[in-house]
Amino acid sequence: MKIAVYPGTFDPITNGHLDIIKRGLTIFDKIIVTIALNSSKKPLFSAEERMDMIRCSTVGMDNIEVASFRGLIAPWVKTQNAHTIIRGLRAISDFEYEFQMALMNRKINESIDTIFLMPNARYTFLNSTIIREMGRLQGDVAQFVPSCVVERLKEKFPD
Ligand code: COA
């Protein structure tokens, strides 16, 4: 079974992340979408809330597992019997950081490879910060995130 791990902060998951997940499912038998718990970011949503949003956004996709991890991703990937990390590349500006991370992850665990997938061009400008900002200012995010995420943002930022 070909298993890949898709790590991130997912604060919250967006249609751009979902696009990467769907593309990944055409290559892998199973994708573990996993939330970094000790990232330097200060998430708006709790880990449980973020995992719930990934679950509700991937309803109907059979081969998705939602998880979380602490510490370095490379050793964690190994505990899942996986050898591949999926990362999205939205623009050339993503590349340098991703290249460094991929090589460091390989240094930590020689058997790990990172696969880069490009989302549909209509999602290349998206990130979770923009979505949170839109939500905070009561902007319409319906075309950028799954409907259950729209609801969670409304709960976080009531009128
Ligand atoms: N669609 C929409 N947005 C996307 C996207 C896509 N396809 N791909 C990335 N983004 C957004 C993310 O939402 C995020 O937005 P934000 O900065 O506004 O929150 C931003 O682009 C950066 O995303 P990403 O590069 O995935 O960073 P991340 O913070 O979500 O995840 C980790 C980074 C957690 C995977 C990485 O830091 C990690 O592995 N940490 C563990 C420690 C470790 O092992 N480090 C590596 C070796 S030193």
Side-chain angles (χ1 to χ4, degrees), residues 117-132:
L117 297 174
M118 271 71 77
N120 187 301
R122 66 175 177 268
Y123 300 129
T124 49
F125 67 95
L126 268 188
N127 65 29
S128 300
T129 302
I130 286 182
I131 296 299
R132 292 192 304 275

Side-chain angles (χ1 to χ4, degrees), residues 68-80:
S68 62
F69 72 100
R70 263 182 212 289
L72 294 169
I73 186 66
W76 190 84
V77 168
K78 211 172 166 185
T79 67
Q80 306 302 304

Side-chain angles (χ1 to χ4, degrees), residues 8-9 14 16-17 36 41 72-73 87 90 105 126-129:
T9 306
T14 69
H17 295 120
K41 294 181 177 178
L72 294 169
I73 186 66
R87 298 287 293 162
R90 292 160 298 170
N105 285 331
L126 268 188
N127 65 29
S128 300
T129 302

Side-chain angles (χ1 to χ4, degrees), residues 39-60:
S39 123
S40 52
K41 294 181 177 178
K42 298 221 175 326
L44 169 68
F45 291 99
S46 70
E48 261 321 308
E49 288 173 321
R50 284 179 279 151
M51 289 168 76
D52 271 355
M53 285 187 280
I54 298 171
R55 284 191 200 101
C56 67
S57 305
T58 54
V59 166

